[in-house]
Amino acid sequence: MQQTDVKSQHLTASGNIAGLARNRFKSLSYRGSGLDGYVRLRNGGSSGEILCELDVGTSDTFTIYVLLPGEGILFPNGIYADISNVSALTVFYG
């Protein structure tokens, strides 16, 4: 099995993760703002296909960590984080 370095990027608003380069999404942590919201990870930009979606509830005002199994999810055209009512998001990728 090939080992890859895992990197991270922190966001407080929607945006690209590591540009638009091919990456595998490994895990994330987020903190909600106290309102219903979401984290949508899209392939290749703000209008790209949603490859992972998480609902953020009104009680999610503490840090939540999500670890993906196996090799994670491949984003061939880069990872774009589309977030709503999330005060902080850190995405781990490689």
Side-chain angles (χ1 to χ4, degrees):
M1 178 188 313
Q2 181 182 355
Q3 178 67 35
T4 60
D5 292 333
V6 176
K7 301 171 184 87
S8 69
Q9 186 162 340
H10 180 79
L11 299 172
T12 57
S14 296
N16 287 317
I17 305 295
L20 293 177
R22 174 186 165 104
N23 278 295
R24 286 191 176 274
F25 162 55
K26 305 285 191 172
S27 65
L28 63 77
S29 67
Y30 70 87
R31 185 175 53 251
S33 66
L35 301 170
D36 284 333
Y38 56 79
V39 174
R40 294 178 181 150
L41 299 181
R42 296 177 176 270
N43 182 38
S46 61
S47 62
E49 177 185 8
I50 298 170
L51 299 183
C52 181
E53 182 170 6
L54 302 167
D55 292 324
V56 177
T58 57
S59 63
D60 293 345
T61 55
F62 50 92
T63 301
I64 295 177
Y65 180 72
V66 178
L67 175 64
L68 273 67
E71 297 297 316
I73 300 172
L74 176 63
F75 284 74
N77 302 310
I79 304 169
Y80 182 87
D82 176 11
I83 61 177
S84 172
N85 293 323
V86 171
S87 58
L89 169 72
T90 301
V91 175
F92 299 89
Y93 63 94

